[in-house]
Amino acid sequence: MKTLLAISGAEAILLSLIEENVDTIFGYPGGAIMPIYDKLYEKDSLFRHILVRHEQGAAHAAQAYAQVTGKPGVCFATSGPGATNLITGITNANLDSIPVIFITAQVPSPLLGTDAFQETDMLSLSMPVTKWNYQVTKAEEIPEVIAKAFHYATTGRPGPVLLDITKDVQIQEFEYQYKKIKSVRSYIPAPVLNTSDLRQIAAMINAAKKPLLLAGHGILLANAHKELEDFLNKTKMPVAVTLLGKSAVADDHPQFVGMLGMHGNYAPNMLTNEADLIIAAGMRFDDRVTGDIKRYATKAKIIHIDIDKAELNKNVKVHLAVLADIKDFLVRIIPEIHSVTDASWRNEFTRLNDIETEKVIVKECFPGTGKIRAGEVVHMVSQKTRREAIVVTDVGQNQMMGARYYQFKYPNTLITSGGLGTMGFGLPAAVGAQVGQPGKTVVLFTGDGGFQMTVQELGTIFQYNLPVKIIIFNNNFLGMVRQWQELFNKKRYAETNMPTPDFPLLAKAYGIASNMVSEREELDAALDAMLTHDGPYLLEVKIEKEANVFPMIYPGKAVDEIVLENDRP
């Protein structure tokens, strides 16, 4: 019989992470989590710990790391404010379905419920925004609880989990044994696809004259981009993507017709209400995609495939709701399809996209005169990086410009905050993306507002010499809010005009190379200098102060009421 080793709870936590192939941790130490960090000191050669400057940064970095590696992220924080500082990042990961293991420390078990120093009820706080959470009050629970955490986080619809571990448990010793979990009673993460659904769907596809496939984030989460391409190649069906579905299909794929949503492309939004069949694959019909839901897809039968039963018929009542893993669905439906979408339907998208190109894209990407536009910067970066960079965005106008004008080639190369729309996400997410893919060029597009929310993570970039390329679009405004104020509040710019610091000087304080450009003639050389620099680089670009993002579906309007320019009085 194998003799079991008696070790502390803190060491058991680290050994359990090793069993789950974890080698990278994002975190910030503190009093209640000190025993874990003490053991981490002993196992320094087995882990790479990234010391962030704020716990929110650890959460966002761990999420981005998970997205670019395909492995769950891991994040440490101490009790009280350390743990509560994670909540925004946990919520962000939850809404975007990213597997992250959050491990927070807690006051010793005898002090629970006494309002002890830095005690916070993290189970109650995190319950609405995690897939699963658990408080560990006995050291013997650690192996099984960590195994469950990884199982829950990575199976079915992925998501964050939180383990709250009391300080005394970290010190207690017990006989350690680890066993990975392959199933949990009553938890069925992989639904069985109904064969009759397959036959019905195939018949609907074969009969459709104007089908449209909507590809969401689920394609990327299921690693189903190859199966999606096979489906498209067989059906010749046009495909549009959600914001988080960007990069699920290459932008130059002949059937790719653009991005859906409020600031998506003209053609897929307009023709949503002309399609006779819509196949929603791994997306959740977010309100930014549907517009006025009562006037959405008015002529179409809708098939919705999702791995999460709660999403089916939640926002849009569909003709056929299919509970399935999207990868399994695509593999099994392809042999059943016999018809090919007529080219005349795809040509309708081409015609409308040509209108958008003339009225919007040319003016944004090739303005020629006036102040620099964000779109032309993104377009130039796309060309100079051969479309191969990992693009991280913050939230706002910079996010829409990055998603619209970078021509994505490979899956999982857009890292952005979708469901929560978290300003400040960009800089720490760029940290996580670069740590996860050290050999890749990571470019961050951020605004002057969002950048300042987590600016302290420049210290993390400096400490680890992460070669992140940071582009700050500076218009001295909270750009997207200002756009809404212009369109809907008669230019009453209430608290959106924002003076900014000397960003290059700030970067210099952290030992990061930097530059600022305000003239178009300087832009090409400045981008080359940034991209060829060996190490991190910050480039501030002064852009048109009152530029807007179009096309746009105004709030309360239908998708086919999308406008290409400001038509407000």
Side-chain angles (χ1 to χ4, degrees):
M1 180 181 288
K2 185 178 179 180
T3 303
L4 300 180
L5 206 60
I7 61 174
S8 70
E11 186 170 6
I13 291 165
L14 297 179
L15 291 179
S16 298
L17 293 179
I18 291 171
E19 291 284 348
E20 295 291 345
N21 301 313
V22 173
D23 56 17
T24 302
I25 299 165
F26 300 88
Y28 202 97
I33 202 169
M34 202 178 297
I36 295 177
Y37 272 87
D38 187 58
K39 288 300 178 182
L40 186 63
Y41 183 85
E42 294 178 1
K43 300 185 185 301
D44 183 58
S45 63
L46 300 176
F47 293 99
R48 184 180 190 188
H49 181 276
I50 304 299
L51 176 64
V52 295
R53 298 307 186 261
H54 190 284
E55 289 88 355
Q56 181 182 345
H60 294 326
Q63 171 177 336
Y65 174 89
Q67 289 180 261
V68 301
T69 62
K71 299 167 57 177
V74 176
C75 183
F76 284 176
T78 195
S79 64
T84 61
N85 282 343
L86 294 176
I87 288 293
T88 296
I90 295 171
T91 308
N92 199 93
N94 188 57
L95 282 171
D96 290 349
S97 303
I98 307 300
V100 183
I101 313 297
F102 292 95
I103 294 179
T104 56
Q106 186 55 271
V107 300
S109 301
L111 296 181
L112 288 173
T114 68
D115 291 333
F117 177 67
Q118 292 192 334
E119 180 189 5
T120 305
D121 183 356
M122 282 305 293
L123 290 193
S124 296
L125 277 176
S126 65
M127 187 173 293
V129 294
T130 52
K131 189 174 178 183
W132 182 67
N133 67 11
Y134 190 84
Q135 186 173 77
V136 182
T137 56
K138 296 179 181 178
E140 302 82 44
E141 297 179 298
I142 288 171
E144 182 181 4
V145 167
I146 289 181
K148 279 186 178 180
F150 277 86
H151 183 65
Y152 283 133
T154 59
T155 56
R157 180 179 182 172
V161 301
L162 181 136
L163 303 179
D164 195 47
I165 304 177
T166 60
K167 188 172 184 178
D168 55 316
V169 162
Q170 301 168 43
I171 299 167
Q172 290 171 9
E173 290 193 350
F174 71 105
E175 292 183 340
Y176 173 79
Q177 185 177 28
Y178 194 82
K179 183 179 180 182
K180 288 190 179 183
I181 288 178
K182 296 182 179 179
S183 64
V184 176
R185 186 178 178 182
S186 79
Y187 171 61
I188 305 173
V192 177
L193 182 57
N194 190 320
T195 305
S196 64
D197 284 345
L198 278 177
R199 290 194 295 267
Q200 188 176 350
I201 292 166
M204 293 170 74
I205 293 173
N206 291 332
K209 301 299 182 186
K210 295 182 177 182
L212 175 60
L213 176 67
L214 311 182
H217 194 200
I219 297 289
L220 294 167
L221 294 173
N223 194 30
H225 51 275
K226 176 61 171 62
E227 289 73 16
L228 174 64
E229 186 171 2
D230 291 342
F231 177 88
L232 295 174
N233 290 341
K234 183 166 186 180
T235 64
K236 306 303 179 188
M237 187 182 297
V239 57
V241 297
T242 63
L243 173 63
L244 290 181
K246 263 282 187 174
S247 81
V249 56
D251 278 39
D252 62 354
H253 191 285
Q255 289 148 248
F256 178 68
V257 296
M259 185 173 72
L260 301 159
M262 179 173 281
H263 292 292
N265 292 105
Y266 188 54
N269 280 298
M270 287 291 292
L271 295 176
T272 291
N273 281 2
E274 291 299 319
D276 62 4
L277 178 68
I278 285 179
I279 303 173
M283 53 89 75
R284 58 189 179 88
F285 290 112
D286 180 80
D287 60 285
R288 289 296 173 101
V289 165
T290 64
D292 181 1
I293 209 160
K294 294 178 182 177
R295 293 182 287 163
Y296 179 76
T298 52
K299 299 179 182 178
K301 293 180 179 179
I302 302 175
I303 301 168
H304 188 189
I305 308 103
D306 204 281
I307 200 167
D308 185 355
K309 187 177 182 179
E311 293 296 343
L312 300 174
N313 285 309
K314 183 179 82 173
N315 296 330
V316 173
K317 302 305 178 185
V318 301
H319 293 75
L320 186 58
V322 182
L323 183 63
D325 177 277
I326 192 63
K327 188 169 188 171
D328 181 41
F329 168 80
L330 289 170
V331 167
R332 295 180 62 184
I333 196 65
I334 289 171
E336 306 295 327
I337 300 168
H338 307 300
S339 67
V340 174
T341 303
D342 193 88
S344 62
W345 172 233
R346 297 194 303 275
N347 291 341
E348 283 295 296
F349 291 88
T350 303
R351 180 181 66 82
L352 293 180
N353 275 329
D354 286 345
I355 294 173
E356 181 183 345
T357 297
E358 178 185 351
K359 291 191 174 184
V360 179
I361 297 174
V362 170
K363 293 177 182 178
E364 185 64 42
C365 294
F366 310 99
T369 59
K371 291 288 187 180
I372 298 171
R373 310 281 293 198
E376 68 180 304
V377 178
V378 175
H379 176 73
M380 291 175 71
V381 171
S382 182
Q383 289 187 314
K384 289 178 180 295
T385 57
R386 299 179 301 280
R387 303 168 49 216
E388 296 174 347
I390 294 174
V391 172
V392 182
T393 81
D394 209 273
V395 167
Q397 289 182 324
N398 65 87
Q399 178 184 37
M400 294 298 103
M401 291 300 183
R404 283 179 54 82
Y405 297 121
Y406 196 93
Q407 296 294 299
F408 294 92
K409 185 189 295 186
Y410 301 122
N412 295 307
T413 50
L414 173 62
I415 309 300
T416 194
S417 171
L420 194 60
T422 305
M423 286 184 67
F425 174 81
L427 189 60
V431 167
Q434 193 71 80
V435 170
Q437 293 289 352
K440 297 286 187 180
T441 298
V442 174
V443 178
L444 167 64
F445 295 116
T446 184
D448 49 302
F451 179 75
Q452 292 183 82
M453 285 192 167
T454 50
V455 64
Q456 67 274 3
E457 297 310 329
L458 286 177
T460 308
I461 290 173
F462 161 71
Q463 179 175 349
Y464 299 101
N465 193 32
L466 301 172
V468 175
K469 312 306 179 188
I470 304 163
I471 297 177
I472 302 175
F473 294 127
N474 190 353
N475 56 9
N476 293 113
F477 269 117
L478 296 177
M480 189 62 85
V481 183
R482 184 216 58 79
Q483 177 170 335
W484 280 53
Q485 289 173 332
E486 175 187 336
L487 295 174
F488 311 119
N489 294 83
K490 298 181 179 179
K491 293 191 176 182
R492 294 194 298 275
Y493 296 152
E495 303 302 324
T496 48
N497 196 324
M498 178 182 284
T500 55
D502 185 331
F503 288 120
L505 187 60
L506 185 60
K508 184 179 180 181
Y510 283 99
I512 295 172
S514 60
N515 192 13
M516 185 276 288
V517 294
S518 58
E519 302 299 328
R520 182 166 287 107
E521 295 73 22
E522 306 169 318
L523 185 58
D524 188 74
L527 290 173
D528 285 340
M530 177 192 72
L531 291 169
T532 57
H533 180 74
D534 184 17
Y537 198 102
L538 183 150
L539 178 63
E540 177 187 4
V541 183
K542 300 278 191 178
I543 61 170
E544 173 64 48
K545 283 181 67 70
E546 296 185 66
N548 292 327
V549 183
F550 283 99
M552 183 175 181
I553 303 169
Y554 294 154
K557 297 295 184 180
V559 287
D560 57 2
E561 294 177 302
I562 187 170
V563 298
L564 294 170
E565 56 193 357
N566 185 357
D567 63 353
R568 310 290 287 187

